[in-house]
Amino acid sequence: MTGPKKGGEAGYLRIATEEAFATVEMLQSFDRVLDGGDPDPGFLSLMGFYMRHKSERATWVFERLKDLGALRIADMDARGIDIQVIGLTSPGPNILDADTATGVTRDANDQLAEACRKHPDRFVGMAAFAAQAPQEAAKEIERAVSSLDMRAAIINSHIQGEYLDAPKFYPVLEAIEAMNVPLYLHPNTPPRAMIGPMLEAGLDGAIFGFGVETGMHALRLITSGVLDRFPKLQVIIGHMGEALPYWMYRLDFMHQAAVKSARYDTMKPLKKGTVSNYLCENFFITNSGMAWEPAVKFAQDVIGKERVLYAMDYPYQCPVEEVVAMDAMEMDIKTKKMFFQENAQRLFKIRL
Amino acid sequence: MTGPKKGGEAGYLRIATEEAFATVEMLQSFDRVLDGGDPDPGFLSLMGFYMRHKSERATWVFERLKDLGALRIADMDARGIDIQVIGLTSPGPNILDADTATGVTRDANDQLAEACRKHPDRFVGMAAFAAQAPQEAAKEIERAVSSLDMRAAIINSHIQGEYLDAPKFYPVLEAIEAMNVPLYLHPNTPPRAMIGPMLEAGLDGAIFGFGVETGMHALRLITSGVLDRFPKLQVIIGHMGEALPYWMYRLDFMHQAAVKSARYDTMKPLKKGTVSNYLCENFFITNSGMAWEPAVKFAQDVIGKERVLYAMDYPYQCPVEEVVAMDAMEMDIKTKKMFFQENAQRLFKIRL
């Protein structure tokens, strides 16, 4: 197999928009949680595996998570990735106590900003924040965007079982909206109150639980009315939309039925009417982990070509064959360039 | 809007394959559970709504669930439905103690069989069974198929938090395989160990939780190796495959990664290799609740036209507009006839 063409030879640059890293300081905090009493079961399953399992997969991924330099760039070159949009890996600060989390995110944002300064044509940064301390998080988002040139904020789904639709997190969403950057709603394992039957079957992680957790979180932002409160907020979800594009018809039907019958106190009429209106106007979708032409085209068809972006999911999932498969999609070059390059350029304000 | 053409005038009969009913005896048992101490939260949310809420939706649905005669047939006629394939509504016997559940299912199967005898050209029955008593359930499946002419077995997902991949349920799967009928894996609300964050947001039911619960149950049948043990078993899942067709690429990638790294004791190599091989060889998909051309075509494309069937989801979701929309799909008549009629004829052994 020939490797993918580089640097725009294909007719577009490849901007991968959901790529992960970890700081040593965060991993040290993770170690303390893993060694503490009764760690969150999803965290134990996820980071217990990637940080401590002896398998080739775990060690390969773990080594790359920690690199923001030569190793990462060599991997990008080998796969034809021109630019990575990088965020702090799951679960990020969410698992830590508020003070530790706040310190970890400031430090991580500084380190990521430094790497972006060193490699301005290869790296773009997304700001981590510790939602556990909402006011501090809002300040950190402002600092990261205005002083560190971050182009998005990223959160790894639930915060110890809580979700961003809770009013305590409004200051965070207000800051993100005010700074005019998108929010990347990235997966986490489901919280203790949801993970049980998934964990016992080995389905808690990227194979299934991530999508359940993140799809639900995205839905909560819609059905709770939070996106009516912060109407300019743009939310990015990966993995081809965590199945929400596929569910769109049923989401609309059952949402309308529940609203009309006043079945739930937590589900009121929405300004834009249907769930799908929010998916098409407040969401961007990346294909991280879903290098699959039928799903890419489905999402383009039902959400809109302007809102579907390329992503790799480095270092968790990054075979070069996936780049080749995406290059080979039967799709006009204009649409393909939107997918690989232009939608990301616009959303993350990338100057080439 | 003109109603849909009837009785094959469209070029095909419409066989709706995931239609629900309830017996008075089961509903009386449900009442006792609802009034008992600490009922299952998903059950309380679901049947507490449909049995006791004063909204138009709840009362309309509840009245129709109880009918296996003139009202149902009038509704079918008004919608152009030639045949309904009928099963006991969620959660069926699953919420009841083993003895009550066994009695309720026998009685329900008798009542459904009687209705099918009265309306042999309009109704086809699926056998309920009480998996809580696996040996009794196996006998009831044999009786219902051999003596009551039932054409499938149906279960409403989890059995008080347990799943059909548990060895205790092997006698049930063995009986279904031996009787050469498909198993309809129908939704239920998620169990107590999974419903928390979905319930608090009003997302526990058909809008989202049903799909999570049922998709996970189907996945467990695959990844546990149960379908290697019962290789002839054919499983039907509704709602356009509970999103599993859309997830297929990621399911395969992450399943392979987990198996290769031996991350979970519960996830061993499978005879057919990939998750998608099972989805394409051991599953049928119906479009209950998903009267949406893009999703129907997507599933036909990735699972196979022979394995995608029409369903309505009566009485929970049955606007005539959905029949009209499915009739109007841009699809060759041969494929459309497979979808509406022929795949169901073959799978449920319907003699016209």
Side-chain angles (χ1 to χ4, degrees):
Chain A
M1 178 177 293
T2 319
K5 294 177 180 176
K6 301 216 177 68
E9 282 173 44
Y12 43 81
L13 298 183
R14 295 187 198 86
I15 305 178
T17 58
E18 194 209 275
E19 317 309 308
F21 86 112
T23 64
V24 171
E25 293 73 14
M26 181 177 78
L27 295 170
Q28 287 168 344
S29 302
F30 284 0
D31 267 323
R32 287 193 291 274
V33 177
L34 286 173
D35 293 333
D38 194 25
D40 175 80
F43 177 69
L44 182 61
S45 174
L46 182 69
M47 277 299 144
F49 176 72
Y50 284 112
M51 292 175 67
R52 297 181 173 183
H53 201 273
K54 300 301 177 204
S55 62
E56 186 190 345
R57 174 170 174 79
T59 52
W60 196 94
V61 166
F62 191 51
E63 185 187 2
R64 278 158 179 80
L65 279 174
K66 292 180 282 188
D67 184 274
L68 281 176
L71 178 58
R72 182 172 296 251
I73 285 173
D75 282 343
M76 290 166 66
D77 288 344
R79 289 158 180 77
I81 302 301
D82 297 283
I83 297 174
Q84 276 195 354
V85 182
I86 303 173
L88 200 57
T89 199
S90 191
N94 297 20
I95 200 74
L96 306 170
D97 67 85
D99 284 352
T100 308
T102 300
V104 159
T105 52
R106 273 191 204 139
D107 172 63
N109 290 337
D110 286 339
Q111 291 189 42
L112 180 56
E114 178 61 25
C116 292
R117 274 190 295 272
K118 274 191 193 154
H119 306 282
D121 54 343
R122 306 303 298 274
F123 295 166
V124 168
M126 297 192 275
F129 58 92
Q132 300 93 311
Q135 298 293 348
E136 292 301 310
K139 281 184 212 155
E140 179 59 13
I141 290 162
E142 288 162 19
R143 180 184 83 95
V145 175
S146 59
S147 304
L148 301 179
D149 198 26
M150 297 280 168
R151 313 293 171 78
I154 183 168
I155 190 162
N156 295 290
S157 201
H158 75 88
I159 309 104
Q160 298 172 33
E162 295 189 300
Y163 294 87
L164 290 176
D165 55 292
K168 66 193 277 190
F169 298 122
Y170 288 170
V172 172
L173 300 180
E174 198 176 357
I176 295 170
E177 192 186 43
M179 296 310 291
N180 192 28
V181 291
L183 168 67
Y184 208 121
L185 184 57
H186 184 271
N188 192 353
T189 43
R192 207 180 282 267
M194 199 162 76
I195 201 170
M198 293 184 254
L199 184 60
E200 73 179 12
L203 298 172
D204 53 298
I207 190 172
F208 188 71
F210 277 12
V212 170
E213 163 65 18
T214 318
M216 184 194 66
H217 199 160
L219 266 185
R220 289 177 66 127
L221 292 181
I222 298 171
T223 59
S224 66
V226 155
L227 291 176
D228 286 339
R229 182 177 285 264
F230 304 103
K232 288 187 292 179
L233 194 63
Q234 294 291 322
V235 183
I236 311 169
I237 46 177
H239 315 97
M240 220 64 254
E242 311 294 1
L244 297 183
Y246 192 72
W247 277 125
M248 214 151 68
Y249 183 90
R250 187 157 167 82
L251 292 171
D252 282 353
F253 187 97
M254 287 299 170
H255 176 259
Q256 290 300 304
V259 166
K260 195 175 168 207
S261 63
R263 176 169 168 180
Y264 297 102
D265 290 339
T266 47
M267 199 174 279
K268 305 288 188 201
L270 299 173
K271 281 189 188 160
K272 292 185 180 176
T274 64
V275 171
S276 62
N277 283 340
Y278 293 85
L279 286 172
C280 293
E281 295 174 21
N282 290 86
F283 282 82
F284 287 84
I285 306 286
T286 85
N287 81 316
S288 52
M290 291 275 278
W292 193 35
E293 183 168 352
V296 173
K297 286 181 168 170
F298 183 91
Q300 287 179 328
D301 185 23
V302 305
I303 301 283
K305 290 176 184 176
E306 303 76 16
R307 291 186 170 269
V308 178
L309 286 73
Y310 174 68
M312 181 161 246
D313 218 347
Y314 178 90
Y316 295 100
Q317 183 170 342
C318 50
V320 68
E321 290 82 355
E322 294 195 343
V323 181
V324 175
M326 292 292 89
D327 272 353
M329 286 191 293
E330 278 189 37
M331 186 181 291
D332 65 85
I333 184 68
K334 186 167 171 290
T335 305
K336 210 181 275 185
K337 190 171 185 176
M338 291 167 69
F339 171 68
F340 271 109
Q341 175 185 330
E342 291 174 342
N343 292 342
Q345 261 186 277
R346 199 166 51 250
L347 184 60
F348 297 106
K349 306 183 187 83
I350 299 173
R351 300 166 289 273
L352 297 175
Chain B
M1 176 176 294
T2 318
K5 294 177 181 174
K6 303 215 176 70
E9 283 174 42
Y12 43 80
L13 297 184
R14 296 187 197 86
I15 305 178
T17 58
E18 194 209 275
E19 317 310 308
F21 87 112
T23 63
V24 171
E25 293 73 14
M26 181 177 79
L27 295 170
Q28 286 168 345
S29 302
F30 284 0
D31 266 323
R32 286 192 291 274
V33 177
L34 286 173
D35 293 333
D38 195 24
D40 175 82
F43 176 69
L44 182 60
S45 173
L46 183 68
M47 276 299 143
F49 176 71
Y50 284 111
M51 292 175 68
R52 298 181 173 185
H53 200 276
K54 299 300 176 205
S55 62
E56 186 191 344
R57 173 169 174 80
T59 51
W60 195 94
V61 167
F62 191 51
E63 185 188 1
R64 277 157 179 80
L65 278 174
K66 292 180 281 188
D67 183 274
L68 281 176
L71 178 59
R72 181 171 296 250
I73 285 174
D75 281 344
M76 290 167 65
D77 288 342
R79 289 158 180 77
I81 302 301
D82 296 284
I83 297 173
Q84 277 196 353
V85 182
I86 303 173
L88 201 56
T89 198
S90 191
N94 297 19
I95 200 73
L96 306 171
D97 68 84
D99 284 350
T100 308
T102 300
V104 159
T105 52
R106 273 192 204 138
D107 173 62
N109 290 337
D110 286 339
Q111 290 190 42
L112 180 56
E114 178 61 25
C116 292
R117 272 191 297 272
K118 272 191 194 155
H119 305 283
D121 53 342
R122 307 304 297 274
F123 294 166
V124 168
M126 297 192 276
F129 58 92
Q132 301 93 310
Q135 298 294 350
E136 291 302 309
K139 280 184 215 156
E140 178 59 13
I141 290 162
E142 287 162 21
R143 180 185 83 96
V145 175
S146 59
S147 304
L148 301 179
D149 198 26
M150 297 279 168
R151 314 292 173 78
I154 183 167
I155 191 163
N156 295 289
S157 201
H158 75 87
I159 309 104
Q160 298 173 32
E162 296 190 299
Y163 293 87
L164 289 177
D165 55 292
K168 68 192 277 190
F169 299 122
Y170 288 170
V172 172
L173 300 180
E174 199 176 355
I176 295 170
E177 193 186 41
M179 295 311 291
N180 192 29
V181 291
L183 169 67
Y184 208 120
L185 184 57
H186 183 271
N188 192 351
T189 44
R192 209 181 279 268
M194 198 162 78
I195 201 170
M198 291 183 255
L199 184 60
E200 73 181 12
L203 298 171
D204 53 298
I207 189 173
F208 188 71
F210 277 12
V212 169
E213 163 65 19
T214 318
M216 184 193 68
H217 199 161
L219 266 183
R220 290 176 67 128
L221 292 181
I222 298 171
T223 60
S224 66
V226 156
L227 291 175
D228 286 340
R229 181 176 286 264
F230 303 103
K232 288 188 291 179
L233 194 63
Q234 293 292 321
V235 183
I236 311 169
I237 46 178
H239 315 98
M240 220 63 254
E242 310 294 359
L244 297 182
Y246 192 73
W247 277 125
M248 215 152 66
Y249 184 91
R250 188 157 168 83
L251 291 171
D252 281 353
F253 187 97
M254 287 300 169
H255 176 257
Q256 290 300 302
V259 166
K260 196 176 166 202
S261 64
R263 177 170 169 180
Y264 296 101
D265 291 338
T266 46
M267 201 175 279
K268 305 288 188 201
L270 298 174
K271 281 189 189 160
K272 293 185 181 177
T274 63
V275 172
S276 61
N277 283 341
Y278 292 85
L279 286 172
C280 294
E281 294 174 21
N282 290 86
F283 282 83
F284 287 83
I285 307 287
T286 84
N287 82 316
S288 51
M290 291 276 277
W292 193 35
E293 183 169 353
V296 174
K297 285 181 169 170
F298 183 92
Q300 286 179 328
D301 185 25
V302 306
I303 301 283
K305 290 175 186 176
E306 301 76 15
R307 290 185 171 270
V308 178
L309 286 72
Y310 174 68
M312 180 160 248
D313 218 345
Y314 178 90
Y316 294 101
Q317 183 169 344
C318 49
V320 67
E321 291 81 357
E322 293 195 343
V323 181
V324 174
M326 292 293 89
D327 271 352
M329 286 192 294
E330 278 189 36
M331 186 181 290
D332 65 83
I333 185 68
K334 186 168 171 291
T335 306
K336 210 180 275 184
K337 189 171 184 175
M338 291 168 69
F339 171 68
F340 271 108
Q341 174 184 331
E342 291 174 341
N343 293 342
Q345 261 184 279
R346 198 167 50 251
L347 184 61
F348 297 105
K349 306 183 187 83
I350 298 173
R351 300 168 291 272
L352 297 176

